[in-house]
Amino acid sequence: EVQLVESGGGLVQAGGSLRLSCAASGFTFDDCTIGWFRQAPGKEREGVSCISSSDGSTDYADSVKGRFTISSDNAKNTVYLQMNSLKPEDTAVYYCAADPGEEAGLDLYEYDYWGQGTQVTVSS
């Protein structure tokens, strides 16, 4: 059974930092793409960042470039999203998603499996 479990969300002031974790199980972790997505109230879910576990290639949404960093620890089957210089507009539920055996980007429809999400709230 594929499982993705997010953690690390919380409440932080603008300018602060959080690190999200996505622990994966149930598939071959070293041959997949893991993506982070977010959904704010009343808005569509959008891609934030993704990483290929096989070659480490990454991609970022323009809105987070230079502030967020995605990384992967294949020994722990875990992907991290380090979020710095947080802004109130980063407030959302953050989800990780997996596309096993495929190269994927920031299109949510490319992903087969999803976690339950973790809330990130940035106060002004």
Side-chain angles (χ1 to χ4, degrees):
E1 179 187 6
V2 173
Q3 285 193 320
L4 299 168
V5 179
E6 303 98 334
S7 61
L11 173 64
V12 64
Q13 289 188 330
S17 298
L18 284 173
R19 188 177 80 156
L20 305 183
S21 299
C22 173
S25 62
F27 60 93
T28 304
F29 187 81
D30 59 2
D31 183 22
C32 72
T33 302
I34 300 291
W36 282 100
F37 295 81
R38 66 186 181 187
Q39 188 165 19
K43 295 189 176 181
E44 294 185 351
R45 193 170 297 190
E46 63 176 359
V48 174
S49 183
C50 61
I51 185 167
S52 167
S53 60
S54 59
D55 63 11
S57 59
T58 60
D59 196 9
Y60 296 91
D62 288 343
S63 58
V64 306
K65 280 181 181 176
R67 300 188 298 123
F68 291 10
T69 302
I70 193 169
S71 61
S72 176
D73 185 338
N74 287 13
K76 295 182 178 180
N77 285 10
T78 300
V79 169
Y80 304 97
L81 185 68
Q82 178 67 44
M83 306 187 296
N84 298 329
S85 303
L86 283 161
K87 305 175 182 179
E89 51 264 44
D90 294 318
T91 295
V93 178
Y94 283 70
Y95 300 89
C96 70
D99 188 18
E102 301 284 344
E103 292 286 335
L106 297 179
D107 183 348
L108 62 92
Y109 295 106
E110 295 181 275
Y111 291 82
D112 298 318
Y113 303 100
W114 292 82
Q116 293 299 306
T118 185
Q119 177 70 47
V120 171
T121 302
V122 184
S123 63
S124 57

